[in-house]
Amino acid sequence: MTVEDIWEMLEDVTDPEVPVLTVVDLGVVRDVVQLGDKQWKIIITPTYTGCPAMQVIEDDIKARLSKEGLETEVELVLSPAWTTDWLSENGRKKLEEYGITPPQDEGDKSVLFGEKPLIPCPRCKSKNTRLVSQFGSTACKAHYQCNDCQEPFDYFKCLK
Amino acid sequence: MTKQEALFEYLLRNADDSLILGHRLSEWCGHGPILEEDIALTNISLDLIGQATELYKYAAEVEGKGRTEDDLAFLRLEKEYKNVLLVEQTNGDFGKTITRQFFFDHFEHLLYEGLSKSKDERIAAIATKTLKEIKYHLKHSSEWMIRLGDGTEESHERVQESVTDLSRFTEELFFQDEVDEILIKEGIIPNVKDYRIAYEKSIAAVLEEATLVLPEKDGNSMAEEKEFTLNIWVIYWPNCNICREHIQGWNGKLITNNECLNYELCSLPIRNS
Ligand SMILES: [Zn+2]
């Protein structure tokens, strides 16, 4: 069993709240360390501090590896802090196909009264959209609506 | 007081602020004025409780007595909570909840920016992580202050009332004692006194846009109003099935001996559901 094999197994573990993404796409898995012949340590980091999915992710990782007869220890680290930059290119593509707009480059906006970034509609690609709420169905998403096709959609908001 | 004791105390204070405010906000769940705000307030609540968890975890390790983050969060008596009074103020109307959040977010934003540069790596990591979330909270509460203050006559009047009522509690955010002095000296926490002007400026900028004004300071800015916390604990503390009282002096051991401690009222065994 090599480190690459483990990473491949982790590709089967999906985010319980955005099931189209694997924990690898999401950038939640930070490292894979071999501890012994059949023992591995997986280091993960939360997207948001209060993310309720972390326990499920930990259990799912353990369950996946135990299928191969492996014992897993999961360690949660906070630093360096997760950023949407760690979302893989593949993950971004999958998100968009799923109907969630992936994080857009929001530039170096000031916290208050900053310029609003243009968030394209995942359905018709129009940039004529409006923010409905900065807080969406889960901690990592904001809620938008398209002014052209009227589609309400989630935007995977930038966290830097 | 040793450095370790000071650190434990400081972590607990900040964790309590986040926990209590998080729980206050969670009371909005299912009661928000519109669906989007119901979701926003509970999302912010979740962030705050997440922050609290990390701080309690670290506090438990610093203390080294085998207590867990849950023990620290839930197995203390109401008088042992160290949160600032601002965060435990009742939700009131939506405008009051937003005003409370607004005063807190602006402070927390400055504080956590400072803490993200702490010499204590763990605190720096927690602060760096939560700062990203706080920026969203700050934006949310500030935009609502403007929308309510510069909104209708009624929204203006009501949110102004909350500003007048709650601003006296902001004084406490800057209180310092031996705990702070020790940790400032060690480079573990910033000196919040240095943030006073920045805080007042950032508050003022939003209030001006919102056409709201702070009340004149009248000297006795903060009254003894510790009674509010009690309202929250009822949620955590089991109620006796027979006498319906929430159990006074519950210390977590009750679960094993299943007995109501409200002897005068009722000494029958209870079920914990
Ligand atoms: Zn569209």
Side-chain angles (χ1 to χ4, degrees):
Chain A
M1 216 55 87
T2 67
V3 173
E4 283 72 32
D5 294 332
I6 304 294
W7 277 99
E8 208 164 296
M9 287 173 211
L10 294 172
E11 288 280 6
D12 295 336
V13 180
T14 55
D15 180 298
E17 288 181 335
V18 192
V20 72
L21 291 182
T22 73
V23 290
V24 178
D25 291 329
L26 201 54
V28 156
V29 179
R30 300 317 300 158
D31 208 358
V32 170
V33 186
Q34 182 153 25
L35 299 175
D37 190 25
K38 285 189 174 305
Q39 284 95 30
W40 291 82
K41 180 156 95 174
I42 315 295
I43 297 167
I44 59 173
T45 192
T47 51
Y48 283 73
T49 47
C51 180
M54 291 320 286
Q55 188 57 51
V56 180
I57 289 175
E58 185 178 327
D59 294 346
D60 288 352
I61 288 175
K62 285 182 177 165
R64 178 64 190 88
L65 268 69
S66 79
K67 266 197 211 162
E68 317 291 326
L70 304 175
E71 243 176 73
T72 325
E73 195 183 297
V74 176
E75 189 187 326
L76 190 76
V77 296
L78 286 186
S79 181
W82 184 81
T83 144
T84 34
D85 291 344
W86 293 351
L87 201 65
S88 72
E89 207 38 60
N90 198 17
R92 295 177 62 91
K93 222 177 282 162
K94 284 197 252 177
L95 268 181
E96 197 164 358
E97 282 162 15
Y98 191 60
I100 298 173
T101 303
Q104 307 293 305
D105 189 9
E106 295 180 14
D108 191 24
K109 65 171 164 80
S110 66
V111 177
L112 279 178
F113 315 124
E115 293 250 319
K116 304 260 185 314
L118 293 172
I119 307 302
C121 165
R123 188 169 173 271
C124 75
K125 315 294 171 211
S126 162
K127 286 196 170 178
N128 179 20
T129 62
R130 67 193 161 88
L131 174 69
V132 178
S133 173
Q134 201 60 256
F135 297 86
S137 54
T138 64
C140 55
K141 289 182 253 138
H143 186 196
Y144 275 74
Q145 186 162 13
C146 178
N147 292 330
D148 285 337
C149 77
Q150 302 303 319
E151 176 87 347
F153 64 93
D154 271 337
Y155 165 54
F156 203 106
K157 67 192 178 198
C158 241
L159 197 69
K160 290 193 190 213
Chain B
M1 182 180 275
T2 66
K3 182 184 142 192
Q4 186 202 6
E5 285 163 350
L7 184 56
F8 175 69
E9 176 76 18
Y10 185 80
L11 289 165
L12 219 49
R13 287 176 186 177
N14 283 278
D16 286 351
D17 285 349
S18 300
L19 177 76
I20 301 299
L21 187 55
H23 269 277
R24 273 294 186 223
L25 289 176
S26 77
E27 291 170 20
W28 276 104
C29 189
H31 302 275
I34 48 171
L35 181 62
E36 287 75 18
E37 277 315 299
D38 201 291
I39 294 169
L41 293 174
T42 43
N43 260 295
I44 296 168
S45 160
L46 186 64
D47 285 345
L48 287 164
I49 293 171
Q51 268 177 38
T53 311
E54 291 305 326
L55 294 167
Y56 284 131
K57 252 190 226 167
Y58 187 28
E61 285 169 37
V62 169
E63 189 192 35
K65 288 184 183 164
R67 287 206 276 182
T68 69
E69 65 265 31
D70 287 340
D71 294 342
L72 290 176
F74 300 123
L75 301 185
R76 283 180 291 151
L77 299 177
E78 57 263 57
K79 289 229 165 69
E80 293 170 319
Y81 284 80
K82 302 160 190 294
N83 57 281
V84 291
L85 291 171
L86 175 68
V87 299
E88 68 184 51
Q89 298 308 306
T90 49
N91 285 337
D93 59 15
F94 179 69
K96 186 178 170 194
T97 292
I98 291 294
T99 307
R100 183 185 62 198
Q101 198 63 34
F102 166 73
F103 283 134
F104 187 74
D105 290 341
H106 278 259
F107 175 76
E108 223 198 6
H109 184 233
L110 290 166
L111 175 64
Y112 277 67
E113 202 157 61
L115 288 174
S116 70
K117 295 172 194 120
S118 170
K119 278 189 185 158
D120 182 305
E121 275 178 30
R122 182 77 169 269
I123 289 184
I126 296 171
T128 306
K129 177 88 201 153
T130 52
L131 187 60
K132 296 181 180 193
E133 298 163 8
I134 293 167
K135 286 180 182 171
Y136 277 106
H137 305 171
L138 180 71
K139 204 166 172 186
H140 174 259
S141 60
S142 300
E143 284 175 355
W144 269 111
M145 286 304 281
I146 295 166
R147 198 161 156 191
L148 294 172
D150 195 19
T152 65
E153 209 172 297
E154 184 177 354
S155 73
H156 174 86
E157 207 171 286
R158 283 165 72 169
V159 77
Q160 178 60 60
E161 211 171 284
S162 297
V163 169
T164 307
D165 178 34
L166 292 174
S167 71
R168 67 205 153 113
F169 293 105
T170 59
E171 194 85 5
E172 190 190 5
L173 299 168
F174 295 92
F175 281 5
Q176 288 180 330
D177 62 10
E178 194 192 353
V179 169
D180 301 85
E181 280 160 27
I182 293 170
L183 299 177
I184 291 167
K185 217 177 280 167
E186 297 279 346
I188 293 173
I189 65 166
N191 188 340
V192 287
K193 288 243 151 68
D194 297 343
Y195 296 150
R196 191 69 197 246
I197 294 168
Y199 179 73
E200 279 166 9
K201 267 190 188 162
S202 71
I203 292 273
V206 178
L207 289 181
E208 195 192 332
E209 182 92 16
T211 70
L212 296 166
V213 286
L214 285 172
E216 299 278 325
K217 283 181 187 161
D218 63 357
N220 59 348
S221 55
M222 213 176 54
E224 283 286 324
E225 301 196 37
K226 209 63 186 171
E227 80 247 35
F228 286 112
T229 320
L230 196 65
N231 300 338
I232 292 177
W233 305 125
V234 182
I235 304 166
Y236 310 137
W237 290 24
N239 280 52
C240 171
N241 285 3
I242 315 291
C243 70
R244 299 277 165 203
E245 286 296 311
H246 90 261
I247 290 129
Q248 302 290 328
W250 181 57
N251 60 2
K253 285 179 188 149
L254 198 70
I255 291 167
T256 52
N257 69 16
N258 273 353
E259 197 176 283
C260 180
L261 292 185
N262 249 329
Y263 293 116
E264 279 126 58
L265 287 164
C266 165
S267 58
L268 292 165
I270 59 155
R271 276 189 305 276
N272 243 303
S273 48

